[in-house]
Amino acid sequence: MSKKLSMDELNRLDVSTYKSSEKFPYVIVLDDIRSMNNIGSAFRTGDAFKCAAIHLCGITAQPPHREISKTALGADESVDWVYFEDGASSRQALRAAGYHIVCVEQVQGSVSLEEFKPLKNQKYAFVFGNEVFGVNDEWIQEADFSLEIPQFGTKHSLNVSVSMGIVIWDFVSKIIV
């Protein structure tokens, strides 16, 4: 019979060890995200999958904030983040640091997630857009490509935090093999 693992058995890193540990080669970009619950979820996903950093752009709220912390459960203290007033500033910083910019959006010519083959030793920035309007057209025009999560039901979108979890887990699982 199975039993749940205790916190000690999980061997989780403490915040200082996490901060000094090697991260996977990706950044989460949140552009004009309205919901602080979604922002907090991004921090938890980033922490779970050792994100290099999170870029918070435009109207996206920044820590410290009670509503972000409520969902982040401390990940807003472990994951590095940078705020940019606009997407252009974030794109400029990402390009200068050698990141491939990848929008997560349904666009003409997008790459289906199962077809995505990340290159080892390359850095990726995954851009997630506003809950209502999606990824801003400027990001889409400037991106190296866009990824699309296949969906089979009547709805044609997922909550942004769900999309983050799917895309980031997929990326990490493909680069650690």
Side-chain angles (χ1 to χ4, degrees):
M1 178 179 224
S2 297
K3 73 169 188 76
K4 266 200 247 185
L5 296 175
S6 70
M7 291 306 265
D8 288 337
E9 291 170 317
L10 290 172
N11 294 318
R12 297 289 187 219
L13 302 175
D14 61 44
V15 172
S16 64
T17 304
Y18 178 90
K19 283 201 166 282
S20 65
S21 69
E22 186 175 351
K23 308 299 184 297
F24 290 114
Y26 76 96
V27 167
I28 295 171
V29 178
L30 303 181
D31 188 48
D32 288 337
I33 300 295
R34 297 175 310 153
S35 166
M36 288 189 242
N37 289 327
N38 286 334
I39 298 164
S41 292
F43 276 93
R44 274 185 63 194
T45 298
D47 178 277
F49 299 110
K50 292 179 95 176
C51 173
I54 294 177
H55 282 202
L56 306 171
C57 304
I59 66 167
T60 307
Q62 308 153 54
H65 194 288
R66 187 176 68 82
E67 291 300 310
I68 294 171
S69 296
K70 189 166 48 173
T71 310
L73 297 178
D76 49 335
E77 296 174 17
S78 58
V79 177
D80 290 338
W81 61 273
V82 183
Y83 174 73
F84 296 90
E85 278 190 33
D86 54 57
S89 301
S90 172
R91 282 192 301 279
Q92 183 178 26
L94 291 166
R95 290 284 187 216
Y99 281 87
H100 294 280
I101 296 176
V102 181
C103 294
V104 179
E105 186 61 87
Q106 298 167 341
V107 300
Q108 190 173 34
S110 63
V111 174
S112 190
L113 187 60
E114 74 274 9
E115 304 286 324
F116 174 47
K117 307 276 190 263
L119 302 172
K120 297 223 186 247
N121 304 315
Q122 297 293 311
K123 299 186 293 188
Y124 293 87
F126 297 103
V127 182
F128 299 90
N130 180 274
E131 293 91 339
V132 174
F133 303 110
V135 176
N136 185 300
D137 285 341
E138 291 176 11
W139 279 105
I140 293 167
Q141 298 307 315
E142 297 287 328
D144 293 296
F145 59 95
S146 291
L147 280 179
E148 185 172 340
I149 301 168
Q151 298 170 53
F152 308 100
T154 61
K155 302 300 174 198
H156 296 284
S157 68
L158 294 165
N159 176 279
V160 67
S161 66
V162 171
S163 295
M164 280 182 252
I166 292 169
V167 168
I168 301 308
W169 178 86
D170 180 76
F171 172 73
V172 170
S173 71
K174 287 174 178 174
I175 65 167
I176 62 174
V177 285

